[in-house]
Amino acid sequence: MSDLQALPEKTVERLSEYRRTLLRCQKQGITHIFSHVLAGLHGLTAVQVRRDLMLIGFSSDTKKGYDVSVLAEFIGEILDTPQPMNIGVIGMGHLGQAITKYFNSKGLNLRIVAAFDVDENKVGSIIDDIPCFSMDELAAKVEELEINIVILSCPTRVATDVVLPIVNAGIKGVLNFTSKPLNFPLGIVVENYDITTLLEKVAYFVKEQERTDI
Amino acid sequence: MSDLQALPEKTVERLSEYRRTLLRCQKQGITHIFSHVLAGLHGLTAVQVRRDLMLIGFSSDTKKGYDVSVLAEFIGEILDTPQPMNIGVIGMGHLGQAITKYFNSKGLNLRIVAAFDVDENKVGSIIDDIPCFSMDELAAKVEELEINIVILSCPTRVATDVVLPIVNAGIKGVLNFTSKPLNFPLGIVVENYDITTLLEKVAYFVKEQERTDI
């Protein structure tokens, strides 16, 4: 696979979604699925689905559709690392706990192994089966627990304060849930993921819909 | 504004982000900002920022940069409805509560006014200042409280069960946080927003980064 270029961001997102749908199909005993069915479940065109799968070099038996298990596994080889990737959560408030609970309940290749917080009541305790450490322990625990990625679920007002500790700890990827877009040095993958943006986007298109309905 | 076409999705997302940055600048007493500075804060090119603002018909004094207050207000007129938009949360578990707490603490034009759940311990109580109703009350409360948008934070396994009640209640927009992409009839705006996808995406690009570094 090492001759492949990195895939487009949106293709990676869709592959992740296809796989979850395929795994659900598998559970329901569905063995094959046509590209237009898979497309329909995601609100996409069949051409889009076929193009995404072409990009990862997957071709299917068109008579019966895609083999669900084979395709799920094929996507897994593209997306997953050979070893599960370890994740740390910075900020174990409501959002951090919601995310941790959510991931703990899934059999993903990504696993949350540690939380970090400044709250003395949380540091040293186990929350949702995850040990909670102080921010001072970040670098040491990142090394010890082989953490590659952190989820940033701390309050927005302290978001910039954690950038340097994250960089110094050798973190490779950041999923930022605060309202502040953060810049990290080249080589660190950042996904800024603000809930407000999405909600304002839905609100805007609802408004547009109402305007054009008149 | 009624002669304007609906803006591209990504432009709407960026406008929402620009505004939040502008409001932060305002708080810090910054009155003007150059396009390349605003761009840099979002990891974008100045050309991209200028193109987005051109789309909404905003032109600036290039000598001093954009007027922060004027631009923030201008974007508000594009994104916001004249009245605050009322939002309901379906599923008042950890994620629902985290989202509600998050929004309650911000002075947004979007406000969460009600929660809906099947848990008898929650129905009839006030959680984070928000009244929690049973799912049977959805249609009545949507009408009474003039709710336009719902946030779906229920468990994924029941996600499809709430589609019909949402449609019947006359909801116009859905922000779906479950792992299941949902299809709604034309005319209902849906944003599927799965945390797993984002995290798998970060993990993929971290893996890619490591591969190309070798």
Side-chain angles (χ1 to χ4, degrees):
Chain A
M1 215 78 67
S2 64
D3 55 334
L4 274 183
Q5 290 269 325
L7 298 165
E9 282 195 31
K10 288 291 161 192
T11 297
V12 174
E13 285 182 20
R14 286 190 296 267
L15 288 172
S16 166
E17 288 161 4
Y18 298 158
R19 176 166 61 170
R20 272 199 307 288
T21 298
L22 292 166
L23 295 176
R24 267 198 305 272
C25 289
Q26 233 177 353
K27 273 190 194 161
Q28 292 167 28
I30 297 164
T31 60
H32 288 77
I33 190 166
F34 287 106
S35 57
H36 69 268
V37 176
L38 187 55
L41 291 170
H42 294 267
L44 297 168
T45 64
V47 171
Q48 181 65 62
V49 169
R50 287 198 294 266
R51 192 179 297 154
D52 287 335
L53 298 185
M54 206 187 65
L55 278 177
I56 61 169
F58 187 84
S59 54
S60 86
D61 174 1
T62 50
K63 285 268 172 87
K64 292 166 72 186
Y66 302 124
D67 183 308
V68 167
S69 312
V70 171
L71 180 52
E73 208 165 301
F74 198 94
I75 294 175
E77 274 168 38
I78 302 288
L79 295 185
D80 298 342
T81 42
Q83 303 298 321
M85 222 179 241
N86 290 344
I87 298 170
V89 173
I90 297 183
M92 201 53 171
H94 276 82
L95 187 58
Q97 288 185 41
I99 293 167
T100 304
K101 272 220 165 71
Y102 179 85
F103 274 98
N104 277 3
S105 67
K106 305 200 167 199
L108 291 173
N109 197 48
L110 304 160
R111 53 176 194 196
I112 293 172
V113 295
F116 301 90
D117 207 295
V118 293
D119 182 345
E120 284 176 16
N121 294 318
K122 287 173 185 161
V123 171
S125 68
I126 307 282
I127 303 172
D128 299 333
D129 297 329
I130 301 296
C132 188
F133 304 105
S134 81
M135 278 302 290
D136 297 337
E137 298 170 277
L138 184 67
K141 290 296 167 187
V142 162
E143 198 187 342
E144 182 190 327
L145 302 170
E146 296 181 350
I147 293 171
N148 297 300
I149 296 174
V150 289
I151 292 172
L152 212 54
S153 47
C154 60
T156 296
R157 65 176 187 283
V158 298
T160 43
D161 301 344
V162 297
V163 170
L164 202 59
I166 288 172
V167 174
N168 285 339
I171 288 296
K172 301 284 182 229
V174 180
L175 184 50
N176 174 20
F177 280 101
T178 76
S179 296
K180 196 168 169 45
L182 296 175
N183 288 323
F184 282 88
L186 222 69
I188 297 180
V189 178
V190 184
E191 190 75 22
N192 293 305
Y193 192 67
D194 189 329
I195 297 171
T196 313
T197 301
L198 272 279
L199 203 45
E200 289 196 336
K201 187 172 151 191
V202 171
Y204 169 80
F205 285 106
V206 165
K207 190 178 75 161
E208 273 301 301
Q209 191 91 45
E210 284 172 352
R211 186 173 68 80
T212 52
D213 277 357
I214 296 161
Chain B
M1 214 79 68
S2 65
D3 56 333
L4 273 183
Q5 289 271 326
L7 298 164
E9 283 194 31
K10 287 290 160 192
T11 297
V12 174
E13 285 181 21
R14 284 191 298 266
L15 288 172
S16 166
E17 288 161 4
Y18 297 158
R19 176 167 58 170
R20 272 199 306 288
T21 298
L22 292 166
L23 295 176
R24 267 198 305 273
C25 288
Q26 232 177 352
K27 272 190 195 161
Q28 292 168 29
I30 297 164
T31 60
H32 288 78
I33 190 166
F34 287 107
S35 57
H36 69 267
V37 177
L38 187 56
L41 291 170
H42 294 269
L44 297 167
T45 65
V47 171
Q48 181 65 62
V49 169
R50 288 198 294 267
R51 192 178 298 154
D52 287 334
L53 298 186
M54 205 186 66
L55 278 177
I56 59 170
F58 187 83
S59 55
S60 89
D61 175 0
T62 51
K63 285 267 172 86
K64 293 165 72 186
Y66 303 123
D67 183 309
V68 167
S69 312
V70 171
L71 180 52
E73 208 165 299
F74 198 96
I75 294 176
E77 274 167 36
I78 302 287
L79 295 185
D80 297 343
T81 42
Q83 304 297 322
M85 221 179 242
N86 290 344
I87 298 170
V89 173
I90 298 183
M92 201 54 171
H94 276 85
L95 187 58
Q97 288 185 42
I99 292 168
T100 303
K101 272 219 163 72
Y102 179 84
F103 274 97
N104 278 0
S105 67
K106 304 202 167 199
L108 291 172
N109 197 47
L110 304 161
R111 55 177 192 196
I112 293 171
V113 295
F116 300 90
D117 208 294
V118 292
D119 183 344
E120 284 175 16
N121 294 318
K122 287 174 186 160
V123 172
S125 68
I126 307 281
I127 303 171
D128 300 332
D129 298 329
I130 301 297
C132 189
F133 303 106
S134 81
M135 279 302 290
D136 296 337
E137 297 169 276
L138 184 67
K141 290 297 167 187
V142 162
E143 199 187 341
E144 181 191 327
L145 301 170
E146 296 181 352
I147 293 171
N148 297 300
I149 296 174
V150 290
I151 293 173
L152 211 54
S153 48
C154 60
T156 296
R157 66 176 186 283
V158 297
T160 42
D161 300 343
V162 296
V163 170
L164 202 59
I166 288 172
V167 175
N168 285 338
I171 288 297
K172 301 283 183 229
V174 180
L175 184 50
N176 175 20
F177 280 100
T178 76
S179 297
K180 196 168 169 45
L182 295 176
N183 287 323
F184 283 88
L186 221 70
I188 298 180
V189 179
V190 184
E191 190 74 22
N192 293 305
Y193 192 67
D194 188 328
I195 297 170
T196 313
T197 301
L198 272 278
L199 202 46
E200 289 196 338
K201 187 172 151 191
V202 171
Y204 169 80
F205 285 106
V206 165
K207 191 177 75 162
E208 273 301 300
Q209 192 91 45
E210 284 173 350
R211 186 173 68 79
T212 52
D213 277 357
I214 293 160

